[in-house]
Amino acid sequence: MRSDILSFSAVVAASLVASSDLVSASSNIELENEGIVNVGSLRKLKKGKKGEEGGKKIAKKAKKAKKGTTSDSMAFSTVGPPDGENVCHEKKVEIANVQCVIDQVNQTGEQSGTNVTEGYKGNQATTAVPITVPYYQKGLCPVNVHWHLGTEHLSAGEYDETGTGPTEIAHRRKLAGKARQGFQCNLYDDSEDMFTSHYDWKYCTDMEVGQTYEVHWPHSTIGACGTVNQFQSPFYDGVFCYSELLTADTVINENVGVQAQVFTIVNDEDYYYPDLMRGMIVDGDFGADVAKYTGSTTGTSRDNDVCSGYSPITWQVDRKCHMVSASTFDKMCADMLSQRDDMSGDVYPHGSRALVADHLAADNHSR
């Protein structure tokens, strides 16, 4: 990288307008079913209402109905908090994309998404060190959730160029010029109903049972953690909510990170998880094999010619592909629509950036 290129931290600091009132960022990090069963209500019932008349019988009946079943749709609340000030509104710090390489010299920091197969390391030398412990241990909180059609990362044998899935929505979106599809998981089996049976999406849009999606949870130490303004769209507003606390000496990759996890959607309530909005699932094989490295923001405005200036930031990427129910995603979208900020711009799959070339990928990939 050229020595005269400003660091990401310096660019961020230089972009900030001096504030006379420094806002403290020390906030504490704090349904009825229209298908077969409302799993969220079931779990509440089982925990808190077993002593009520008939409660045990209802819970038992609902649990029996849930086991191994598909559903046409699920209904969740989208009622949000009272209107109030969104302190993160338009807090994005603008950093332009740049030409990746000029005269064989990289013009910006390491990029994402990369190959995350165990043992892979990129060729771009970097002094940045990724966060290797769970983000909450370093004071970062999730400030957004969004997902991509197919995957932006590659994990050989899990989600790669040999993966398969349904093509209807992906083909339609491609023809409309709306989204580039990334890699797919190797779990899809069109002979099994859970990969093909219809689900009536109520809150997410342009989604498809059987399809692969890569979910991203941007995290930040300067988000509105533990408040009603924690989750923001676009995610930059959440990441930079209290950006006035940054200085040219701030190590960005110690304060900004992204979790990524890859899913194949199935219509089977055995695979329901109720709180996907708030971060990577860590349960058994979920979140057990995670690549850590430093990279950049992603999206289809970047490729191997045009790079993101938002670098370096930490990435923690689950190498495995997992199955979750369609209702898991629909519940997440309902939760997003119940936030104070308008997150409707993120309840559909975004296009996937092309896999980052080795010369733009950091050499610090680790497990």
Side-chain angles (χ1 to χ4, degrees):
M1 188 186 302
R2 292 190 338 218
S3 60
D4 61 335
I5 298 175
L6 287 175
S7 70
F8 181 25
S9 302
V11 173
V12 170
S15 301
L16 302 178
V17 178
S19 172
S20 58
D21 297 312
L22 186 64
V23 180
S24 171
S26 61
S27 304
N28 291 330
I29 298 181
E30 346 161 293
L31 311 163
E32 293 303 321
N33 173 22
E34 292 182 2
I36 291 177
V37 62
N38 184 324
V39 183
S41 296
L42 164 62
R43 291 178 180 173
K44 289 180 181 178
L45 176 65
K46 290 170 68 180
K47 290 179 180 178
K49 294 187 178 180
K50 283 191 176 181
E52 294 183 5
E53 183 72 23
K56 289 184 178 180
K57 291 182 179 180
I58 295 172
K60 185 176 181 180
K61 181 178 180 181
K63 183 177 181 181
K64 183 177 180 181
K66 171 188 176 269
K67 183 68 175 176
T69 57
T70 63
S71 60
D72 291 331
S73 67
M74 300 282 276
F76 305 101
S77 173
T78 57
V79 176
D83 290 340
E85 180 186 6
N86 180 1
V87 297
C88 304
H89 182 60
E90 295 185 347
K91 287 295 188 73
K92 176 182 179 180
V93 175
E94 296 285 350
I95 300 177
N97 291 339
V98 298
Q99 186 172 339
C100 298
V101 179
I102 298 177
D103 295 331
Q104 298 184 329
V105 178
N106 288 6
Q107 300 298 301
T108 188
E110 51 265 35
Q111 298 292 295
S112 296
T114 69
N115 189 332
V116 292
T117 305
E118 187 170 1
Y120 173 83
K121 290 186 183 297
N123 294 333
Q124 180 159 344
T126 180
T127 59
V129 178
I131 300 169
T132 58
V133 297
Y135 289 148
Y136 71 85
Q137 294 184 16
K138 295 295 185 179
L140 287 75
C141 71
V143 296
N144 171 272
V145 60
H146 63 274
W147 53 97
H148 297 264
L149 179 61
T151 74
E152 296 191 303
H153 290 87
L154 180 146
S155 182
E158 290 288 330
Y159 42 92
D160 55 26
E161 65 278 358
T162 69
T164 59
T167 59
E168 179 185 355
I169 287 182
H171 181 65
R172 190 165 67 239
R173 289 179 64 80
K174 182 178 180 180
L175 290 177
K178 289 184 177 180
R180 177 188 179 276
Q181 180 170 311
F183 302 108
Q184 290 179 301
C185 293
N186 291 277
L187 299 175
Y188 180 74
D189 183 350
D190 62 9
S191 69
E192 293 192 38
D193 287 346
M194 69 177 180
F195 293 105
T196 60
S197 61
H198 174 76
Y199 182 86
D200 183 15
W201 298 90
K202 290 184 174 296
Y203 310 103
C204 303
T205 61
D206 286 346
M207 297 289 290
E208 190 173 23
V209 171
Q211 189 55 268
T212 297
Y213 301 98
E214 179 173 324
V215 180
H216 292 169
W217 295 269
H219 283 61
S220 177
T221 60
I222 54 172
C225 300
T227 76
V228 295
N229 294 309
Q230 179 171 325
F231 281 83
Q232 297 286 317
S233 183
F235 69 84
Y236 295 99
D237 286 354
V239 167
F240 293 113
C241 186
Y242 290 112
S243 56
E244 56 266 39
L245 297 177
L246 296 176
T247 70
D249 296 323
T250 301
V251 180
I252 294 294
N253 48 282
E254 295 178 358
N255 291 273
V256 177
V258 184
Q259 288 178 330
Q261 199 163 38
V262 175
F263 302 103
T264 292
I265 304 299
V266 296
N267 190 351
D268 187 333
E269 294 309 319
D270 278 353
Y271 297 90
Y272 176 77
Y273 285 84
D275 206 16
L276 193 60
M277 185 182 81
R278 300 191 178 276
M280 177 186 290
I281 298 172
V282 180
D283 182 33
D285 288 341
F286 287 75
D289 184 8
V290 177
K292 292 102 170 177
Y293 75 99
T294 54
S296 69
T297 54
T298 65
T300 53
S301 69
R302 293 105 183 191
D303 52 31
N304 289 318
D305 296 314
V306 177
C307 282
S308 170
Y310 295 95
S311 173
I313 61 176
T314 290
W315 280 83
Q316 296 187 353
V317 184
D318 191 338
R319 291 189 174 102
K320 303 298 183 184
C321 186
H322 308 281
M323 293 188 291
V324 294
S325 67
S327 57
T328 295
F329 262 70
D330 227 14
K331 167 65 161 53
M332 174 172 62
C333 289
D335 289 342
M336 293 167 68
L337 295 171
S338 69
Q339 301 305 300
R340 172 166 285 173
D341 192 33
D342 179 7
M343 297 190 71
S344 60
D346 276 329
V347 295
Y348 65 89
H350 301 269
S352 291
R353 178 179 179 170
L355 183 70
V356 167
D358 293 343
H359 67 278
L360 299 172
D363 63 355
N364 61 5
H365 286 59
S366 65
R367 182 169 182 174

